[in-house]
Amino acid sequence: MGLKLREKAASFFFEYDTPRMVLVKNKKVGLIFRLIQLVVLGYIIGWVFLYEKGYQSQDGIISSVSVKLKGLTVTNISGIGPHIWDVADYVFPSQGDSSFVVMTNVIITRGQKQDICPELPDAGQCNNDSDCIQGKYGRQGQGIMTGKCIDFNSNNKTCEIFGWCPVEEDNQIPEPSLSYSTLWINHSYPAGSAELRDVPNPSQSLPGTTAKVLLLSGPPLLLEAENFTLFIKNSITFPTFKVSRRNLVEDITTSYLKKCTYHKNKDPFCPVFELGYIVKESGQNFSALALKGGVVGITIDWDCDLDWPVTYCKPVYQFHGLYNDDNNVSPGFNFRYAKYYRDNGTDYRTLYKVFGIRFDILVNGKAGKFDIIPTMTTIGSGIGIFGVASIVCDLLLLHFLPRRDYYKQRKFKYAEMRTPVSGLH
């Protein structure tokens, strides 16, 4: 055992192997060798150098986006009359951020004040007072429970709450064919000049209250938003190369900007977009999306080769539907906001549940420029990959071809250096 270990240690420390060049005249192996070299060469030139631009150093992008919308529409709501909607009414937020919402549908609950009233059956149904824990708030509720179980209508009993009353009833989304907005007016509170149609109060919740339904003479959806225009201003910089660009490229002038509209084939650099075209290109239907809301992504891609003049560095716009209406769980996109006012010392509010299309603008980009260091690194890596051809051919010669034993004898040379015996010449 000790002798074997000594032999292995001696062979490890005192033996040296060196490559031996053997010229093999075999047409098949020679052809395979050259084909592998050709594939490797095509990979290095075609993919690494031309497509991936392995001769360039890369830089990321720093970006800023601002938007501006234009468009007007009018609705004629019974009791309110004709109402003009402009950008101050239907765009949220109004500062022109890269993520914004365009309102396309709305449920309006007017005349709310802080009072006690019954909760909706879906959120606070009860049988007796013990089901309504005083001071608690239901997950779907709209106020703090007072501890009483009262009649919501002739068929249902719900927990009494302290909150903004009457509560919002949003289970009926306005449809294009017949839509309304429910308005509760307390008879002790003057309704002003609005003429509203009285309907029976389904909740019978507050003494002296009447449900007011605002019937629409036309669709409640702001379908005209399909023709509204969106102006996107995008500024970018590549800090390493100290190159800055805007999506208002050299060909865009003030007069051109006033009349152009983006089209991916006819006018791909115009920064003014119709909302309907954006939604269509994202693979969605505007009318269907406007009913309950949704999300659309706008991507601006800057892929710049700075070995060419900087004027060739231009944006590419793409649109993506981020809303899947196949899922019935929490469909659409909506949020609420309120407008407050005071009358006779009492604070009131008008609550708006807004359904809209949210637009998210995302900017991606990279720039490349020739650099000797990545060029040499890529060339060195390519030379190393050429060794794959030799490895494959050696495997064929030494393990698969019929004359493999013969090739092994020619490939490997065993030599032993002997120490001369003293006294012999």
Side-chain angles (χ1 to χ4, degrees):
M1 184 68 180
L3 180 61
K4 289 183 178 181
L5 289 175
R6 285 196 297 271
E7 288 179 353
K8 287 185 177 294
S11 64
F12 178 79
F13 286 105
F14 305 118
E15 292 180 359
Y16 167 73
D17 59 89
T18 182
R20 184 182 184 186
M21 302 297 294
V22 178
L23 179 62
V24 179
K25 293 185 176 182
N26 187 302
K27 294 181 179 179
K28 293 181 179 179
V29 176
L31 182 61
I32 292 173
F33 181 71
R34 296 307 177 192
L35 283 176
I36 294 174
Q37 284 187 327
L38 185 63
V39 170
V40 171
L41 184 63
Y43 165 76
I44 294 171
I45 296 176
W47 178 264
V48 177
F49 270 92
L50 298 182
Y51 186 80
E52 291 290 338
K53 294 182 172 58
Y55 57 90
Q56 293 181 333
S57 60
Q58 302 289 325
D59 189 18
I61 195 172
I62 298 175
S63 171
S64 173
V65 174
S66 62
V67 300
K68 187 181 296 184
L69 280 95
K70 292 286 182 68
L72 292 171
T73 188
V74 61
T75 58
N76 189 9
I77 303 176
S78 176
I80 295 180
H83 183 82
I84 290 289
W85 300 83
D86 61 13
V87 291
D89 299 314
Y90 61 74
V91 178
F92 308 88
S94 58
Q95 290 85 3
D97 293 339
S98 60
S99 181
F100 60 94
V101 178
V102 176
M103 182 176 71
T104 55
N105 203 358
V106 63
I107 295 176
I108 306 174
T109 306
R110 297 180 180 274
Q112 285 189 320
K113 66 176 181 178
Q114 294 196 10
D115 204 342
I116 56 173
C117 56
E119 184 60 272
L120 293 177
D122 292 342
Q125 196 159 9
C126 62
N127 295 316
N128 49 59
D129 292 349
S130 61
D131 296 330
C132 306
I133 303 175
Q134 185 177 3
K136 293 295 183 179
Y137 162 72
R139 185 169 184 176
Q140 304 297 328
Q142 300 187 43
I144 304 297
M145 289 184 284
T146 64
K148 296 180 181 180
C149 182
I150 62 176
D151 292 332
F152 178 79
N153 54 31
S154 58
N155 298 320
N156 296 289
K157 297 181 71 175
T158 61
C159 293
E160 183 184 66
I161 61 168
F162 174 73
W164 286 98
C165 296
V167 294
E168 177 194 51
E169 297 189 48
D170 62 347
N171 57 346
Q172 192 78 0
I173 299 175
E175 298 281 352
S177 57
L178 177 61
S179 304
Y180 62 86
S181 177
T182 303
L183 172 60
W184 299 86
I185 301 294
N186 190 300
H187 291 320
S188 62
Y189 170 67
S193 59
E195 295 181 4
L196 306 174
R197 183 180 303 177
D198 293 346
V199 297
N201 183 350
S203 67
Q204 299 176 353
S205 56
L206 295 174
T209 61
T210 305
K212 300 293 183 178
V213 178
L214 304 184
L215 297 178
L216 305 181
S217 59
L221 304 176
L222 302 184
L223 290 178
E224 187 62 26
E226 188 173 7
N227 300 317
F228 293 171
T229 57
L230 168 66
F231 175 38
I232 299 177
K233 290 195 292 185
N234 177 215
S235 300
I236 65 160
T237 184
F238 298 106
T240 300
F241 302 130
K242 296 180 172 56
V243 172
S244 297
R245 294 288 289 163
R246 299 177 69 197
N247 66 329
L248 304 179
V249 294
E250 286 73 16
D251 297 335
I252 295 179
T253 62
T254 302
S255 59
Y256 167 80
L257 199 60
K258 291 180 179 179
K259 61 183 180 180
C260 77
T261 304
Y262 174 87
H263 189 280
K264 64 179 180 181
N265 297 321
K266 299 177 182 178
D267 211 343
F269 299 116
C270 177
V272 180
F273 306 80
E274 283 189 354
L275 299 187
Y277 184 83
I278 293 175
V279 173
K280 178 182 176 182
E281 287 297 308
S282 72
Q284 302 179 93
N285 180 273
F286 191 92
S287 298
L289 201 64
L291 183 62
K292 295 182 180 180
V295 183
V296 175
I298 303 173
T299 59
I300 307 176
D301 295 312
W302 296 83
D303 191 359
C304 299
D305 186 349
L306 298 182
D307 292 329
W308 296 88
V310 73
T311 54
Y312 287 93
C313 180
K314 295 181 179 180
V316 176
Y317 302 96
Q318 291 182 316
F319 313 101
H320 311 274
L322 307 179
Y323 167 66
N324 182 8
D325 58 1
D326 295 334
N327 192 340
N328 292 324
V329 179
S330 187
F333 177 86
N334 63 79
F335 65 94
R336 292 173 175 83
Y337 77 98
K339 292 182 179 180
Y340 297 87
Y341 58 95
R342 177 180 285 265
D343 190 87
N344 294 331
T346 303
D347 291 325
Y348 292 87
R349 77 175 186 182
T350 299
L351 181 64
Y352 297 83
K353 182 175 182 179
V354 173
F355 300 85
I357 302 175
R358 172 172 169 165
F359 295 89
D360 292 325
I361 302 175
L362 309 173
V363 182
N364 307 305
K366 60 181 173 52
K369 196 172 185 179
F370 175 78
D371 192 335
I372 190 62
I373 295 177
T375 301
M376 297 305 298
T377 303
T378 302
I379 292 174
S381 301
I383 293 173
I385 297 175
F386 271 107
V388 173
S390 299
I391 294 173
V392 172
C393 290
D394 280 350
L395 287 173
L396 290 174
L397 285 170
L398 302 177
H399 299 284
F400 295 101
L401 294 183
R403 302 182 65 189
R404 52 184 176 272
D405 293 332
Y406 173 77
Y407 290 126
K408 285 181 182 178
Q409 293 176 4
R410 297 296 180 180
K411 172 72 175 176
F412 299 105
K413 177 72 175 178
Y414 296 94
E416 183 178 350
M417 185 178 289
R418 298 179 178 276
T419 304
V421 181
S422 63
L424 298 177
H425 299 283

